Structure formats: C-alpha cells, structure tokens
C-alpha cells in the first residue's frame, strides 16, 4: 500500500486488510512523506504484519510502489489503495484461485463503488477478453489485483515513473504484461472503491489524454503494433469529456479497425474478442452521443459492414 496524506481514510482501509480470513501475510505500507497524521495512524496499529517504510521526500505512487515490490517476500503481491476497502475473503479467494491455476499471472475482480459514486464495475473476466479490452481501456482494478511474484521477478517488472500526472502506472504495467502472462478477473466483488474529490485519478481531462497518447504509443510498439500518432489521437475519443460527434466516432472506429488488424497479426489477440472489445467502447460512445436517426444511419453506412454488422441491432434499439 502506498499512502500520501491519507489520514482521513487509511485506518479503515488497514482494518479491512488486517481482518482478512487469510492471515499469513505482510502488509507493507510506504508513507510517501505525508504531512498529515498518516504515519501516526499507521504506527497506532500494533500488528507485527505491518511494515512501515517512510519516504524522506515525496516520490509519488510508482516509485513508492516499486519500493514495496523490492522488499516483498510473499508468493503473491496485492496492490491496494489507502482509501479502499477489502472484502473479508479477498486474499483467501484470490490465493486459492492462483494456487489452482498456476498459468495465471494476474488476478483481479469486480469492484463496487461507494462515496461520490455508486455501482459495480464488472470487468471482462477471461484472459483473451481482458487482453483485448486493455488495448482500449484499463480492465484491471489496482486495488483488486493479485500478481504472482515469480512473474515480477522473472521479468524484472517495475512500475513506470513516466505517468505521474495523472497516475497510470498500473495500466501501463498491465499492457507490458500482455505478452508474458495470463490475466483473469474473478466475477465477484472483492473490493469496495471509495470515490471522492481527492482521488489522484480525478484530474484535468487534457493531461489524461496526453499521458494516454504516450502510453498507448509505447505499449503498442512493445507488442509489435505500429500505429500512427493521428490514429492514436483518434482512439483517445474514448477518454474525452463531452458529447462526441458523428465525425469523432467515425474517426475512432476507423483507427480501431487499424489497431485490430495489426494486433491480430501479433498472435497475442483473437479477432472476435478485439471486435467485442471495440463494441463495448462503441456502445458507450454512441450511448453518450445525441444522434438523430439520420445521423445514426450515416454512421452505420460509413463503417465497413463486414466489420460492424454486430452494431446494427444496437443502433436500431437506440433510434426512437
């Protein structure tokens, strides 16, 4: 766990970890030079499983998380945010799954939201679906994750320090893991994620788009997928605020076709799952847009039918 000025929530978060049904673990907490009572709250717990590391200066999430990775001794790594809550059986459930499925390198789960946002985030569950969705959007929740330590050690994995603002070190790592390990998301809620105005991920949209453009470009290249900067820019529509236009969605779909064609050739992805991932994004984009029946028909007509016949029924249902 990394923590910076987390005094308001960290006590509840720590308690949710210490009361797990699985009890044989070490809780490494890196206090990133907090200026509030975070460190004192951590020290107030008299539990030998807690290892407190205090940074002399603020190093941000990735650097602090890498410190934790460097000293962790367990067979599995669980990243966790200092304001979230674990379900009591989280560790036990994921460790049991990993023990029974030695080919799995990263195990996540569904998460529920509380605070300023309600609902459940149901991510894709199978390895193929997760890989395909990761090309368009993050599909592994940081606080839900369990990573096999042998995968980290075998490939000398660390979190990148290049995506501080906004923090995207977890998403970038998942993209790098695609060629080397299998993913799974357990179809049950194992984490409650707190949404509040101080979340580090709640940042200005423009900075997020710029960081994602750089992240996608580098990650795609590592997988052997060469995309033009303009195509990557069009793919960022999925992260832009506001109501998309028909031209925006058309450009996004065309860039996505290029990505799907090139990703399939790497041998890391299945075409039908890539198309399913694209469909998920299109459902959201089209659902957020204000399309007239004529505009919807134009959209459908301009996208190659052999690739997008699966959205016919979707668009017809949305047209009233």
């Amino acid at each position: 766990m990394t923590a910076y000025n987390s005094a308001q929530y960290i006590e509840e978060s720590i308690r949710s970890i210490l009361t797990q049904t699985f009890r044989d673990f070490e809780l490494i907490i890196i206090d990133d030079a907090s200026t509030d009572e975070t460190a004192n709250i951590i020290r107030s717990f008299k539990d030998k499983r807690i290892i407190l590391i205090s940074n002399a200066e603020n190093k941000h999430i990735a650097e602090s998380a890498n410190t934790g990775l460097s000293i962790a001794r367990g067979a599995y790594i669980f990243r966790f945010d200092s304001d979230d809550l674990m379900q009591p059986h989280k560790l036990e459930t994921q460790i049991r799954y990993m023990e029974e499925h030695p080919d799995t390198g990263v195990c996540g789960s569904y998460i529920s939201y509380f605070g300023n946002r309600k609902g459940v985030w149901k991510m894709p569950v199978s390895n193929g679906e997760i890989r395909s969705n990761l090309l368009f959007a993050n599909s592994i929740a940081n606080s839900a994750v369990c990573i096999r330590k042998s995968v980290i050690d075998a490939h000398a994995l660390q979190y990148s320090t290049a995506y501080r603002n906004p923090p995207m070190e977890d998403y970038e790592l998942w993209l790098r893991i695609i060629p080397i390990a299998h993913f799974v998301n357990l179809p049950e809620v194992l984490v409650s994620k707190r949404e509040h105005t101080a979340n580090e991920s709640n940042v200005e949209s423009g900075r997020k788009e710029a960081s994602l453009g750089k992240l996608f470009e580098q990650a795609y290249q590592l997988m052997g997928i060469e995309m033009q900067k303009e195509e990557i820019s069009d793919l960022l529509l999925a992260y832009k605020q506001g109501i998309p236009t028909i031209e925006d969605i058309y450009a996004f779909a065309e860039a996505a076709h290029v990505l799907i064609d090139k990703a399939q050739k790497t041998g890391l992805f299945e075409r039908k799952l890539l198309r399913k991932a694209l469909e998920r994004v299109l459902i959201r984009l089209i659902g957020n847009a204000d399309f007239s029946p004529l505009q919807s028909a134009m959209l459908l007509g301009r996208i190659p039918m052999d690739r997008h016949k699966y959205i016919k029924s979707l668009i017809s249902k949305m047209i009233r």
Side-chain angles (χ1 to χ4, degrees), residues 263-311:
Q264 184 187 11
K265 293 177 182 178
T266 67
L268 296 170
F269 307 91
E270 296 180 42
R271 188 176 189 84
K272 66 177 181 179
L273 296 179
L274 289 166
R275 291 176 62 175
K276 184 177 180 181
L278 173 57
E279 181 182 9
R280 288 169 65 104
V281 182
L282 285 175
I283 288 173
R284 178 168 58 82
L285 289 176
I286 296 173
N288 290 338
D290 182 18
F291 289 119
S292 69
L294 176 60
Q295 287 174 319
S296 296
M298 288 171 59
L299 174 66
L300 184 60
R302 292 178 66 183
I303 297 176
M305 294 295 293
D306 62 321
R307 294 180 175 179
H308 282 75
K309 61 182 180 181
Y310 57 85
I311 66 171

Side-chain angles (χ1 to χ4, degrees), residues 40-56:
N40 289 333
I41 292 172
I42 298 169
R43 293 190 187 98
S44 71
F45 286 90
K46 307 306 179 183
D47 193 306
K48 294 181 179 179
R49 293 173 294 179
I50 296 178
I51 300 170
L52 173 60
I53 306 295
S54 298
N55 291 342

